[in-house]
Amino acid sequence: FEWIEWGYKECLQMLAYIKSEKLDFHVAIENIRQIQQLANKSAASLIESGYILNQLGRYNEALSTYLDALELSTKYATQQPFQAASLRGIGYSFTELHQLNEAETSYQDSLKHDPKNPVALKELKYIQSLRDSNKAKQTP
């Protein structure tokens, strides 16, 4: 086999982040595909891919990608730091798919790994506001 310096993967990852920040999602997703060919055990690249897919409105694909990232982050010790982010991404995808119970569970699970994460806490409040709004609409 051929050893590829992990730094090359990191450079491609940063390029994908930059392209995402500039809303150039189609180029960013291509950078992520390159990473996945070189480092197919990278939960971080899957998380970035899930983020991009969500931004493109491809929520089912994003959910599948985040689930793959979660699997890697539970299987490999080097990827464990990405469990919370994987779960937050899963939660976001579920929210966009209007599966609020699953979204809430994912965010709560993410807080087990990162108890004070402001994104997860904010999203749990958002889910509650959606539920409250739905109840108000149903009340005559």
Side-chain angles (χ1 to χ4, degrees):
F1 78 92
E2 185 175 336
W3 178 260
I4 303 291
E5 177 59 40
W6 197 253
Y8 181 66
K9 177 258 180 210
E10 294 298 321
C11 289
L12 286 172
Q13 187 88 35
M14 289 306 297
L15 184 57
Y17 288 145
I18 291 167
K19 293 298 182 179
S20 289
E21 287 291 316
K22 293 184 176 191
L23 307 179
D24 194 354
F25 296 121
H26 296 289
V27 173
I29 200 86
E30 187 55 39
N31 293 133
I32 296 298
R33 285 189 182 116
Q34 289 176 318
I35 294 168
Q36 290 168 337
Q37 289 174 348
L38 295 172
N40 62 358
K41 304 297 185 219
S42 170
S45 65
L46 289 173
I47 290 168
E48 184 66 16
S49 181
Y51 170 79
I52 293 166
L53 291 167
N54 272 332
Q55 297 305 304
L56 293 172
R58 295 163 54 183
Y59 306 119
N60 286 311
E61 290 177 75
L63 177 59
S64 177
T65 302
Y66 281 122
L67 289 169
D68 290 344
L70 181 60
E71 181 181 343
L72 289 176
S73 70
T74 56
K75 186 174 184 178
Y76 299 105
T78 58
Q79 301 305 299
Q80 284 180 350
F82 301 103
Q83 282 182 354
S86 298
L87 288 161
R88 286 192 303 274
I90 290 167
Y92 184 89
S93 297
F94 275 135
T95 301
E96 293 303 311
L97 291 167
H98 308 287
Q99 297 177 336
L100 299 183
N101 291 337
E102 293 85 349
E104 182 177 41
T105 299
S106 296
Y107 285 121
Q108 289 172 342
D109 287 347
S110 80
L111 289 170
K112 293 175 186 173
H113 300 281
D114 188 3
K116 296 181 181 180
N117 184 275
V119 173
L121 294 170
K122 178 182 169 190
E123 290 298 319
L124 286 169
K125 288 179 183 177
Y126 176 68
I127 290 169
Q128 187 57 51
S129 73
L130 289 175
R131 287 185 172 139
D132 293 344
S133 176
N134 288 339
K135 285 180 187 176
K137 288 178 185 177
Q138 293 174 357
T139 305

